[in-house]
Every structure is written in structure tokens, then in C-alpha cells.
């Protein structure tokens, strides 16, 4: 996929008509401004809106992604959705290990590793989220946390498959307080070195956490930031396309 990569995580927002409207607006604005050919764009609506949004995106360069998947291909797992099902509605990407899944739904690194394997089995590109809580940062445990979140994954051969890593400090998600560029620079340099040392030079590292049209250029200008995972600001087409344009601008200026 073309870099920079901007992923919109709509979380548990939009009913089907709102999702269709938002996807149409984003597609139109991205195509009119030409950013759709200069950036990898992924929209991750709620499961029930995937088909409808997929229809809106048909024939465009914008890819469809899901926010989660289960580890088994089918069976008695009431309320879960398999990676194969996601593939069948046109998904190319799936977010795995978002901090809201880790904290609210108690997903651990072992389960997340299984989800990554299942996504790869269905030829989905997983977008793996890692990041420390404020408490962990205050205890100077950021590097240990990032390393341990990646440890199981970096030990398996499948790590050589396509995937995307998203550094999302938990304290910056949905808080309106993005990490400062020097904090992002340190974390991304750490992750880049860790991934490279394990043969994952092909894995882009995105930043996520309170990205807005106002701070986007500064955040995307940080070395080793290959794009962004955008929550709140992806629910507004103008803001989202502005952020996409900012990522393209930052890349062109800092090349
Ligand atoms: C996210 O949901 O991954 C995220 C980064 O959210 P926000 O942009 O709202 O902080």
C-alpha cells in the first residue's frame, strides 16, 4: 500500500445511513483533491456497516478494514466475527489489539498473537496497536511495555507477512492530548530498531492518539512515522481528508 497510510477507526459510531454518507463524503473529497492516489487510505467502520461502506468504496483506491476479529474460522462463538467473514465482505485490513480491546475486553498478548495469525491466514493485513498507559510511562516502563507487547509476535516466522504497527500511547487516545513530537520520535525510533532487528523492515509504523487537522503536519513530520491511526477526527470527512493531506505534505517536505 502507498505510504503514508491513514486509517480511520470509526469505533462504535455510525448507523448504516450515517456510515454510507460519511464514506461517500470521504471518497468524494479524497478524489476531488487527488489525495486518494498519494496516500494509502483505510476506513474501519463497525462490523454491521462493512458491506454498505464496501459498496461505497468500490472502484476507489480507499480500502476497507475491520476493527477486530475472532481467532477461529467459524463455530460456536456467539457474538464474534471471523477473519474469513471479514474477507468475504471485502475487508483487506483488520485492527488488532486496540487499547480499548486490551483494557475493556481484557485481550492479552497471547490472544492478540492468535488473532494476527488468523488474519494472515485469511490474507488480511493486520494493523497491530501497541502503546503504554500513563501509569506505565510515569514508571519509565514504556520500552518494556512495547517490547513485551511485540515479543510473542517477533518470535514467529509469520512476522514476515505484511502487517502494520500502530504506536498508540493509551493516554493520548480520545483525550485530546496527542503525544509530543519528541515522545513520538523516541517511541518510533525504539520500535523501528526492534522491528528491524527481527527482520520486519517492511512493517510501517503509524502514530495514533488525538490526531487533528491542526497537529497533523507536526506529528507526521516526526522521523519513522509512516502515517496515522485516526479515531475521533475520522468521523468528519473534512477533518479526515485534511489529515490525509497533511500526511502527504509532511512526507513531501521531510523527504
Ligand atoms: C484510536 O481510536 O485508535 C484513536 C487514536 O482515537 P483518537 O484519534 O480519537 O485519539
Amino acid at each position: 500500500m502507498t505510504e503514508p497510510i491513514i486509517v480511520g477507526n470509526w469505533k462504535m459510531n455510525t448507523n448504516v445511513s450515517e456510515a454510507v454518507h460519511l464514506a461517500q463524503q470521504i471518497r468524494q473529497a479524497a478524489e476531488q483533491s487527488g489525495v486518494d492516489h498519494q496516500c494509502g487510505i483505510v476506513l474501519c467502520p463497525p462490523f454491521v456497516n462493512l458491506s454498505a461502506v464496501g459498496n461505497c468504496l468500490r472502484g476507489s483506491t480507499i480500502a476497507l478494514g475491520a476493527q477486530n476479529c475472532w481467532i477461529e474460522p467459524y463455530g460456536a462463538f456467539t457474538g464474534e466475527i471471523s477473519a474469513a467473514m471479514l474477507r468475504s465482505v471485502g475487508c483487506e485490513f483488520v485492527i488488532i489489539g486496540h487499547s480499548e480491546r486490551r483494557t475493556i475486553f481484557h485481550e492479552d498478548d497471547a490472544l492478540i498473537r492468535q488473532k494476527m495469525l488468523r488474519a494472515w491466514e485469511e490474507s488480511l493485513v493486520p494493523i497491530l496497536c501497541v502503546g503504554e498507559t500513563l501509569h506505565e510511562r510515569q514508571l519509565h516502563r514504556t520500552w518494556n511495555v512495547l517490547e513485551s507487547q511485540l515479543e510473542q509476535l517477533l518470535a514467529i516466522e509469520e512476522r514476515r507477512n505484511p502487517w502494520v504497527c500502530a504506536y498508540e500511547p493509551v493516554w493520548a487516545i480520545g483525550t485530546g492530548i496527542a503525544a509530543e513530537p519528541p515522545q513520538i520520535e523516541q517511541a518510533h525510533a525504539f520500535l523501528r530498531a526492534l522491528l528491524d532487528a527481527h527482520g520486519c523492515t517492511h512493517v510501517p509504523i503509524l502514530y495514533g492518539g488525538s490526531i487533528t487537522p491542526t497537529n497533523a503536519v507536526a506529528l507526521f513530520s516526526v522521523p519513522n512515522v509512516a502515517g496515522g491511526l485516526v479515531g475521533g477526527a475520522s468521523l468528519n470527512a473534512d477533518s479526515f481528508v485534511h489529515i490525509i493531506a497533511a500526511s502527504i505534505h509532511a512526507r513531501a517536505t521531510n523527504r
Side-chain angles (χ1 to χ4, degrees), residues 47 68-83 85 101 111 114-115 118:
F47 287 138
N68 184 27
C69 69
W70 186 236
I71 58 175
E72 298 292 345
Y74 55 85
F77 303 99
T78 302
E80 289 297 338
I81 303 281
S82 75
M85 292 171 188
R101 301 288 328 163
L111 181 77
Q114 283 182 282
K115 290 188 174 196
R118 181 56 65 187

Side-chain angles (χ1 to χ4, degrees), residues 85-101:
M85 292 171 188
L86 299 179
R87 191 75 222 177
S88 76
V89 292
C91 285
E92 294 174 67
F93 292 82
V94 59
I95 298 172
I96 303 280
H98 190 280
S99 73
E100 287 150 19
R101 301 288 328 163

Side-chain angles (χ1 to χ4, degrees), residues 1 3 8 26 34 40 64 66 70 86 89 102 115 125 137 182 192 203-205 218 229 244:
M1 165 164 262
E3 284 187 26
I26 291 172
L64 188 65
W70 186 236
L86 299 179
V89 292
R102 291 177 189 263
K115 290 188 174 196
V125 177
R137 175 164 280 269
R192 187 72 273 157
V203 176
I205 307 173
L229 179 46
I244 294 168

Side-chain angles (χ1 to χ4, degrees), residues 10-20 22 45-46 48-49 235:
W10 294 0
K11 310 196 189 196
M12 198 177 74
N13 294 297
T14 67
N15 61 30
V16 69
S17 57
E18 290 164 345
V20 165
L22 181 56
V48 292
N49 298 334
L235 291 168

Side-chain angles (χ1 to χ4, degrees), residues 9 11 98 100 129 168 172-176 208-211 229-233:
N9 174 16
K11 310 196 189 196
H98 190 280
E100 287 150 19
C129 301
E168 296 213 305
I173 299 177
T175 58
S210 297
I211 301 176
L229 179 46
V230 186

Side-chain angles (χ1 to χ4, degrees), residues 45-63:
F47 287 138
V48 292
N49 298 334
L50 282 169
S51 285
V53 169
N55 287 338
C56 297
L57 301 181
R58 192 159 300 133
S60 78
T61 62
I62 305 175

